Structure formats: C-alpha cells, structure tokens
C-alpha cells in the first residue's frame, strides 16, 4: 500500500482497531495510519479491503502521478493486446511455398493459433517470497493433486534443529509465511528442514516420508528467482520433491513382525542353601556394579520453578555479564528460547498470567512472540501490557 497524502509505501502488518492500521515502512519502521488514508497497491491487500488495486498507467508511480489515470485516459493504451505481426518468410521459404502450391505468392506464416503457455511444474516447492525489498517469507507451495502433511523446522550451528510448524496443505495451495528471513543476515540464515507426506483420502496407496534439508549459498541462490506456481509471483524457488515419494507396496505393509526368539525356560523359584550360608557367614562375593546401580532408587527430578510475573527479554537482562558480540539472528534466537522456556514453566505451574517485556525496536521479536502465542491452544488471550508503563514494548498473556 501507499499513503494517500504522501509518497511512502509499505505493508499493512496489523489492524489496531476499526479505523486504524499499523504500516511497516522498509521493514524497519512502523506507524499507525487511518484506514481512509491507505491506498492499496497489492492484489492481496485489495481483497482484504474489498477494493481493487490501483491500475497504474505508463510512467505513473505510486504516490506521485497515480491520479493521472483519473484525469486523462485517452492516452493510455487499450487493455486488449495488439495482434502479433506476421513473420515475413525467408527467400528459401517463399520459393518452397511457390513450388509446392503452384501460386505466385507465398503465404505469410505466423505463430500457431491457440498456442498455450507451458504448464507450471508439478511438485512441492519452497518459495522465498518478498514481503518487502529486504524481507523474505518462507512459503511451502503444493502444486500437486494430493494433500500433503508437513513439518517445518530450522537448523543453525548453535541449535541442531528447532521445529516451527506442522500442518496439512491442500492441493494447488500455499501456506502463509512459516518464518521470515532478512537479506542483510544472508550469511547467518538457518538451513530449513521439511518433512513431507503425500496423502489422498480413500486413496489406494501409502507413501514414504520425504525429508528435505535446504541450505542457501550465494552462488546458487540469486539464480533461483523465477515465477512460482499457485501464488503467481516471482520468488526464489526450490523444488523439494525432485525424487517423488515412493509408494509402499501392499505386501510390505502386510508383513508381520518377526517372531521373538525362543528363550530358555525360567528356573523354578527356590532357595539356594549354599548361597544363603555364604551370605550369613560374610563370605558371599560382592554384587556386580551394574546390579548395585540398578537397585539404587532413581534420583527424583527437581520441581518446576515458576518464572517471574514480568520477564525482561532484553539481552542485557538475559545475560548481564555477556561480553560476546552476537549477531542479530543469534540474539533473536536467545530471546525466543527464554520466552518459550518461561511460557512452558508458567503453564506447568498453573500461572494465570505472565508479562513478556520485548521492547519496541524493529518489531521482529514482538511479531514472532505474537505468532507463537496465536498458535498455542493453552493461551486464553494476549494483549499489550499496561501501555502507561511499557508503551507497546510488552505483551500480557492470560493462560487457561
């Protein structure tokens, strides 16, 4: 979208109330804007606002001369595409046409009538779609005729694997962004891991699970930009099922588990008189270490400690003695780990509410916390906490 009274452009990230929306400009700055001041320029947002996207003419740019279309439409080209010009035949083709038809003029040859665009490639795709010039959304595209059960996770050097999403994706559809990657942090991007299981209701075959790990290298990443199927946008596109999932043969499914090996019959219970006398006289051999360890009772796990009612997620609060210089991605991961740990302990200890202090900043941590809270079924609701104290820098979470 763009602003009606300015040249700024951005993305609507949140509905604050019935008349006010939050707009992110360049992904680093968010401002509240009245809905009537918003001019939609994207087809997706046009659907949400129940109005069509602005159709810009040649030489028009958002925020500058977009109103020119209202003043003068006479100079704009017709929306009907012009018929392609016939291709002039070469001298050899003209002579061949004359020789074969017996006429003195060769017919002009043009493009074949009814030619169709090549169909989009079938399969499952990872698409990195621009949300803004610097921000990419990780999206899964299912360009097949089957449903797909999937899980999505990320791997980093500091954390081998972290599951982020799991869901069912219908045929010819795509997910909402599963996570976001910033171009300036390209060297620190995690590797993404998908597990994919095609399935058909009342289908006649079962399929093996596909696991795909995709890391990103600059030498191949920028050459992967192309039109993505289903969503109809340019994206950095990677196919996840170059090798299609193999169907499991019915005879393999019907195989029975191997029978357990026969064991020696147990000896009847009784009293070993010689061993009993040796134990009473103190001459019995010491028990093996493994037996002693097994006999020792297991040490009970410590009680779960409830987190503080207000948890500060700033780096200086989490690591007050930290001297290591961390990247933005590493700091975000540390903050999210602390948030997840505190939330799980709050649920386990039956807390009624908890406040997470995340600060204002560029809003990345706040958006990720709200995204995870919106998917948690144990959350009653969440909202901005005590604006007079925290502003928009903290979130109050009410637990069930």
């Amino acid at each position: 979208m763009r602003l009606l009274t300015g040249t700024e452009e951005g993305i609507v990230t949140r509905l604050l109330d019935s008349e006010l929306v939050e707009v992110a400009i360049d992904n680093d700055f968010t401002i509240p804007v009245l809905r009537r001041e918003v001019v939609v320029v994207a087809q997706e947002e046009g659907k949400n606002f129940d109005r069509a996207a602005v159709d810009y003419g040649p030489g028009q740019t958002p925020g500058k001369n977009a109103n020119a279309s209202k003043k003068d439409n006479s100079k704009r080209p017709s929306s009907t595409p012009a018929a392609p010009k016939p291709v002039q035949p070469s001298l050899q083709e003209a002579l061949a046409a004359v020789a074969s038809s017996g006429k003195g003029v060769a017919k002009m040859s043009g493009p074949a009538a009814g030619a169709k665009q090549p169909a989009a490639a079938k399969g499952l795709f990872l698409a990195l779609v621009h949300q803004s010039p610097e921000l990419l959304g990780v999206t899964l595209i299912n360009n097949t005729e089957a449903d797909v059960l999937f899980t999505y996770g990320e791997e980093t050097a500091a954390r081998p694997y972290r599951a982020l999403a799991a869901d069912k994706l219908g045929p010819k559809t795509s997910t909402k962004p599963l996570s976001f990657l910033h171009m300036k942090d390209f060297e620190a991007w995690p590797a993404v891991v998908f597990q994919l299981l095609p399935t058909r209701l009342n289908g006649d075959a079962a399929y093996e699970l596909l696991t795909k790990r995709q890391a990103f290298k600059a030498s191949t990443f920028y050459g992967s930009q192309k039109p993505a199927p289903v969503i109809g946008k340019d994206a950095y596109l990677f196919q996840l099922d170059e090798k299609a999932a193999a169907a499991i043969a019915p005879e393999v499914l019907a195989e029975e588990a191997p029978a357990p090996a026969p064991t020696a019959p147990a000896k009847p219970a009784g009293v070993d008189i010689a061993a009993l006398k040796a134990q009473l006289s103190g001459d019995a051999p010491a028990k093996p270490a493994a037996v002693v360890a097994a006999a020792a009772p297991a040490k009970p796990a410590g009680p779960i400690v409830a987190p503080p009612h207000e948890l500060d997620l700033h780096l200086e609060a989490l690591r007050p003695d930290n001297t290591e210089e961390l990247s933005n991605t590493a700091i975000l991961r540390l903050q999210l780990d602390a948030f997840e740990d505190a939330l799980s302990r709050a649920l386990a200890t039956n807390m009624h509410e908890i406040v997470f202090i995340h600060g204002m900043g560029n809003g990345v941590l706040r958006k990720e916390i709200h995204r995870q809270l919106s998917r948690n079924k144990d959350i009653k609701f969440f909202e901005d906490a005590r604006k007079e104290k925290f502003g928009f820098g903290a979130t109050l979470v009410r637990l069930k």
Side-chain angles (χ1 to χ4, degrees):
M1 51 66 63
R2 65 175 177 83
L3 301 185
L4 182 64
T5 58
T7 60
E8 295 86 353
E9 296 185 15
I11 297 175
V12 176
T13 57
R14 192 159 62 103
L15 297 177
L16 299 177
D17 56 37
S18 60
E19 295 295 331
L20 203 62
V21 298
E22 181 184 81
V23 177
I25 298 177
D26 296 332
N27 193 40
D28 295 321
F29 181 63
T30 57
I31 58 174
V33 179
L34 292 172
R35 280 185 70 172
R36 63 174 176 268
E37 296 294 325
V38 172
V39 178
V40 179
V41 295
Q43 294 295 338
E44 292 81 359
E45 295 180 7
K47 296 175 183 177
N48 295 333
F49 280 86
D50 297 327
R51 51 182 169 177
V54 179
D55 184 16
Y56 296 111
Q60 297 178 357
T61 57
K64 294 183 179 180
N65 53 357
N67 292 329
S69 61
K70 299 180 181 178
K71 298 177 181 178
D72 184 8
N73 293 328
S74 60
K75 297 180 180 180
R76 295 185 59 178
S78 172
S79 59
T80 305
K85 295 182 178 179
V87 179
Q88 294 292 341
S90 64
L91 179 60
Q92 291 82 356
E93 292 173 340
L95 293 176
V98 171
S100 59
S101 64
K103 298 181 180 179
V105 179
K107 294 183 179 180
M108 301 297 181
S109 61
K116 297 182 179 180
Q117 295 292 333
K122 299 289 185 181
L124 303 171
F125 295 89
L126 160 65
L128 303 185
V129 186
H130 276 289
Q131 311 297 306
S132 72
E134 293 295 321
L135 189 68
L136 297 174
V138 179
T139 306
L140 176 63
I141 297 176
N142 177 14
N143 192 27
T144 70
E145 304 298 332
D147 294 322
V148 175
L149 305 176
F150 74 90
T151 65
Y152 167 72
E154 294 179 352
E155 289 184 0
T156 62
R159 188 168 188 168
Y161 180 77
R162 178 169 178 257
L164 295 178
D167 208 342
K168 177 181 177 181
L169 186 60
K172 303 294 183 180
T173 57
S174 64
T175 64
K176 295 180 179 179
L178 302 171
S179 66
F180 297 94
L181 301 174
H182 206 288
M183 294 295 289
K184 68 181 181 182
D185 298 327
F186 181 84
E187 297 299 330
W189 279 7
V192 301
V193 180
F194 280 96
Q195 290 182 301
L196 307 163
L197 182 62
T199 179
R200 286 177 182 266
L201 186 62
N202 297 323
D204 55 0
Y207 295 91
E208 295 180 352
L209 181 68
L210 285 176
T211 300
K212 176 70 174 183
R213 181 183 184 275
Q214 180 66 55
F216 303 100
K217 298 181 180 179
S219 58
T220 57
F221 175 77
Y222 293 99
S224 64
Q225 190 171 17
K226 62 187 71 173
V230 178
I231 61 176
K233 296 180 180 178
D234 283 347
Y236 299 98
L237 203 62
F238 305 88
Q239 186 159 5
L240 301 176
D241 58 344
E242 298 94 342
K243 183 179 179 182
I248 303 176
E251 57 270 17
V252 175
L253 290 174
E255 285 182 357
E256 297 182 358
T263 57
K267 294 182 179 180
V271 178
D272 190 339
I273 301 300
L276 181 59
K277 287 182 178 181
Q279 290 179 8
L280 293 175
S281 63
D283 297 331
K287 293 182 179 180
V291 176
V292 175
K299 185 178 179 181
I304 299 176
V305 179
H309 178 259
E310 295 180 358
L311 179 64
D312 193 346
L313 296 176
H314 288 90
L315 179 62
E316 55 270 18
L318 297 176
R319 290 190 177 182
D321 301 328
N322 179 65
T323 58
E324 182 183 0
E325 187 173 349
L326 302 175
S327 66
N328 292 338
T329 303
I331 294 174
L332 179 61
R333 186 66 62 201
L334 177 66
Q335 293 170 320
L336 290 176
D337 289 344
F339 157 73
E340 293 170 358
D341 175 69
L343 181 61
S344 62
R345 287 191 288 127
L347 291 169
T349 54
N350 296 321
M351 290 180 62
H352 295 294
E353 64 180 27
I354 183 172
V355 177
F356 294 102
I357 305 172
H358 44 69
M360 295 288 290
N362 56 12
V364 174
L365 176 59
R366 179 177 181 272
K367 291 176 183 177
E368 182 61 25
I369 288 176
H370 286 194
R371 186 180 71 84
Q372 294 196 28
L373 290 174
S374 64
R375 296 182 175 183
N376 195 321
K377 298 180 180 179
D378 295 321
I379 303 301
K380 185 179 295 183
F381 69 88
F382 59 93
E383 61 184 1
D384 293 324
R386 294 181 59 188
K387 296 180 182 178
E388 67 277 5
K389 179 178 180 181
F390 303 106
F392 290 97
T395 298
L396 170 66
V397 182
R398 290 285 173 87
L399 310 175
K400 292 183 179 179

